[in-house]
């Protein structure tokens, strides 16, 4: 069996703010940018890596989602508990300093975790938890 990860989805409520974070702060490249009505899906990935990508998508675009579910999603996004992505870098401290200098919301400064990784964490403009591990 040959299965690989193609895309993962993170919700966004302000496409321009999310694009600025992933493209301008993290240095990702835009692979696709699709609009449909007043909604927008933006596919981003680390520059030149050609691997798995992240689709920044409207959180409640599915017509099957109820109003109660939309409210729950919005509440979880506001608390930063709805979605998480884990990235890695060979220079955690330098990456942390560069991201922090942009004014991004810091959740956790770089620390050695008891489970064996050194990592830090930020929130993106939609409230998603962005964790970065030392590679």
């Amino acid at each position: 069996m040959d299965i690989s990860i193609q895309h993962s989805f993170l919700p966004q409520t302000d496409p321009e703010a999310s694009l600025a974070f992933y493209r301008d702060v993290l240095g990702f490249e835009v692979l696709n940018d699709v609009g449909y009505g007043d909604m927008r899906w933006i596919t981003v990935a680390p520059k030149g890596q050609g691997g798995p990508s992240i689709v920044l998508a409207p959180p409640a675009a599915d017509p099957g989602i109820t109003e109660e579910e939309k409210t729950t999603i919005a509440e979880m996004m506001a608390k930063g508990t709805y979605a998480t992505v884990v990235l890695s870098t060979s220079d955690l401290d330098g990456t942390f300093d560069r991201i922090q200098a942009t004014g991004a919301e810091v959740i956790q400064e770089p620390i050695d975790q008891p489970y064996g990784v050194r990592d830090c964490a930020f929130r993106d403009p939609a409230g998603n938890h962005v964790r970065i591990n030392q590679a």
Side-chain angles (χ1 to χ4, degrees):
M1 185 179 307
D2 182 18
I3 297 176
S4 61
I5 296 172
Q6 184 70 35
H7 308 289
S8 183
F9 285 71
L10 287 178
Q12 54 82 7
T13 54
D14 180 338
E16 289 302 321
S18 291
L19 181 60
F21 180 80
Y22 286 93
R23 182 193 57 206
D24 304 336
V25 174
L26 297 184
F28 284 19
E29 63 183 327
V30 176
L31 303 179
N32 203 0
D33 191 340
V34 177
Y36 181 78
D38 61 349
M39 295 183 283
R40 192 167 161 199
W41 288 258
I42 305 167
T43 304
V44 295
K47 279 187 180 170
Q49 294 189 8
S53 58
I54 297 171
V55 180
L56 304 167
D62 186 330
I65 295 178
T66 67
E67 288 303 316
E68 182 179 0
E69 290 168 332
K70 289 178 183 176
T71 299
T72 299
I73 290 169
E75 290 170 351
M76 291 179 72
M77 287 176 67
K79 292 173 25 180
T81 59
Y82 185 68
T84 299
V85 64
V86 180
L87 309 172
S88 65
T89 179
S90 61
D91 179 15
L92 181 66
D93 294 302
T95 299
F96 175 83
D97 290 343
R98 285 190 296 278
I99 295 172
Q100 184 182 37
T102 68
E105 182 181 348
V106 175
I107 297 174
Q108 173 209 298
E109 295 189 4
I111 62 170
D112 294 318
Q113 298 287 359
Y115 43 88
V117 300
R118 180 171 173 75
D119 66 1
C120 67
F122 294 90
R123 287 181 69 176
D124 78 5
N128 299 309
H129 187 139
V130 179
R131 185 160 291 280
I132 305 173
N133 291 349
Q134 175 71 49

